């Protein structure tokens, strides 16, 4: 699969692709017979320096980082970037989702969870300071607002900092004047980790069709939130997801199981968009 | 006379059938275990190959690769009953899509022709 940066690939070369990929001009080169000029390429490896303009705690576990890159960087809400850091003479690359919206936020915004034993997240939480510079790569990722009709109901669900890209996608939907209902589910280990609840309450009061559904773990001692509790909350909302668009972000297990669940409830496989956070070894 | 694949509707029919068929398979307790840990997006791609083949369309699979693709499932107990369940879900899918009974029967025959390979007999 390749992406056209300029020009549109012929529809036949996009046969069977998911809706979001089609809209972002991805195509299958093996069945592509261009009818006009197509420019293809990939600059995702390009590196730029960015200054930390702001850093603050969103919750006990999540820190928010605002980055101002040295050059203007085009991106879609919901994409992610690689940060390249050097800690104790060792190089690390970590992928973080953007929670910012290019039409609303001046800076790139990341929400970064402190990972148990995670060297990079600890370094970001404890050492990285406002005014310092970090290296990053260009934003990539296909889990972005991809509606054909603004009337379509949307389901957004994430656990932990899986909320970050969803916050961007949500505001992109509102920015595009989305008319259908939008339901956002956030699973967290406790109330304090529902780190955007105030923002969502505000968005709810200014947007008729937007609903925020916080879900916290019920049993004490259980680690993290299970997708089951989110499934139960979805069940209270709709018996069928036929015609819905679904956006899922978080750890792979959560995303895969909820993807299957939403598919069985009637969502089209082409309209379930997933962003899995794979955690690094250290 | 047009081919079975053309009568059913070709690539567009495969696209229409794949979600309905895979939803039935995942919801069928007799066989869903085999699909428990498979990645949905990748499997949907494979289901298209399955359907194209069953509809008598152009495909790149021969008996040997069918054998290889299902060997590890036979080791997990894949048998005649599972095979029949899959063919039944396929027939019901086509029925829902309004495919003629004779054509569904022909699809069943094509599927049946790879039974020995899939079950590694
Ligand atoms: C008419 C009979 C069948 C046909 C034509 C067929 C066709 C296929 C094809 C083309 C693939 C993809 C192979 C690849 O490229 O990796 C596949 C994979 C698979 N099939 Fe079948 N199949 C049949 C019966 C069954 C049955 C009865 C089951 C189980 C109940 C089954 C379960 C699977 C699974 C789980 C995979 C994925 C294996 C993996 O990726 O680990 N199939 N099949």
């Amino acid at each position: 699969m390749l992406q056209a940066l300029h020009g549109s690939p012929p529809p036949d070369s996009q046969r069977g692709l998911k809706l979001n990929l089609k809209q972002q001009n991805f195509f299958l080169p093996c069945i592509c017979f261009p009818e006009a000029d197509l420019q293809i390429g990939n600059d995702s490896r390009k590196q730029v320096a960015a200054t930390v303009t702001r850093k603050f705690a969103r919750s006990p576990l999540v820190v928010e980082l605002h980055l101002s890159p040295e050059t203007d960087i085009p991106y879609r809400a919901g994409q992610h970037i690689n940060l390249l850091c050097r800690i104790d003479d060792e190089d690390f690359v970590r992928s973080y989702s953007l929670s910012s919206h290019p039409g609303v936020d001046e800076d790139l915004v990341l929400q970064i969870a402190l990972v148990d034993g995670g060297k990079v997240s600890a370094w970001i939480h404890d050492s990285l300071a406002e005014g310092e510079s970090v290296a990053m790569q260009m934003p990539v990722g296909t889990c972005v607002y991809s509606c054909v009709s603004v009337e379509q109901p949307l389901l957004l669900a994430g656990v932990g900092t899986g909320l970050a890209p969803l916050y961007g996608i949500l505001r992109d939907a509102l920015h595009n004047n989305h008319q259908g209902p939008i339901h956002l589910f956030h699973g967290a280990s406790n109330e304090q980790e529902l780190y955007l609840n105030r923002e969502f309450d505000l968005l709810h009061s200014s947007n008729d069709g937007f609903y925020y559904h916080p879900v916290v773990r019920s049993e004490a001692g259980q680690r993290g939130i299970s997708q089951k509790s989110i499934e139960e909350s979805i069940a209270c909302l709709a018996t069928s997801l036929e015609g819905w668009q679904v956006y899922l972000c978080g750890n792979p297990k959560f995303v895969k199981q909820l993807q299957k669940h939403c598919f069985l409830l009637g969502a089209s496989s082409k309209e379930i968009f997933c962003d899995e956070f794979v955690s690094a070894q250290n | 006379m047009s081919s079975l694949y053309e009568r059913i509707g070709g690539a567009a029919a495969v696209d229409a059938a794949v979600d309905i068929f895979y939803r039935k398979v995942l919801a069928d307790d007799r066989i869903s275990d085999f699909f428990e840990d498979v990645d949905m997006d990748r499997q949907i791609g494979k289901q298209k190959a399955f359907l194209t083949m069953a509809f008598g369309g152009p495909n790149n699979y021969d008996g040997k690769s069918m054998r290889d693709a299902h060997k590890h499932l036979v080791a997990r107990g894949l048998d005649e009953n599972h095979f029949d369940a899959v063919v039944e879900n396929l027939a019901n899918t086509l029925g829902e899509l309004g495919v003629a009974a004779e054509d569904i029967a022909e699809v069943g025959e094509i599927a049946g022709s790879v039974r020995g390979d899939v079950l590694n007999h």
Side-chain angles (χ1 to χ4, degrees), chain A residues 220-264:
Chain A
Q222 176 196 339
R223 245 186 87 91
I225 181 88
S226 75
Q227 90 288 347
K228 279 267 177 275
S229 8
I230 292 195
E231 285 174 14
E232 283 159 17
S233 321
I234 294 173
C236 303
L237 183 79
T239 48
S240 162
L241 294 180
E242 199 179 337
W244 288 58
Q245 264 196 355
V246 179
Y247 298 80
L248 306 173
C249 306
N251 66 72
K253 185 164 174 267
F254 165 81
V255 168
K256 288 225 162 70
Q257 295 187 346
L258 206 54
Q259 176 188 28
K260 196 184 261 191
H261 183 76
C262 292
F263 176 67
L264 287 174

Side-chain angles (χ1 to χ4, degrees), chain A residues 190-222:
Chain A
N190 59 57
E191 303 248 335
Q192 281 180 301
E193 294 304 325
L194 296 169
Y195 64 88
L196 289 179
N197 53 359
R198 255 169 283 141
E199 282 72 9
F200 291 135
D201 287 342
L202 278 175
L203 282 174
H204 172 64
S205 50
S206 53
N207 294 279
D208 279 346
F210 169 63
Y211 305 91
Y212 167 54
H213 307 269
V215 183
V216 291
R217 76 174 169 210
S218 42
E219 298 156 49
Q222 176 196 339

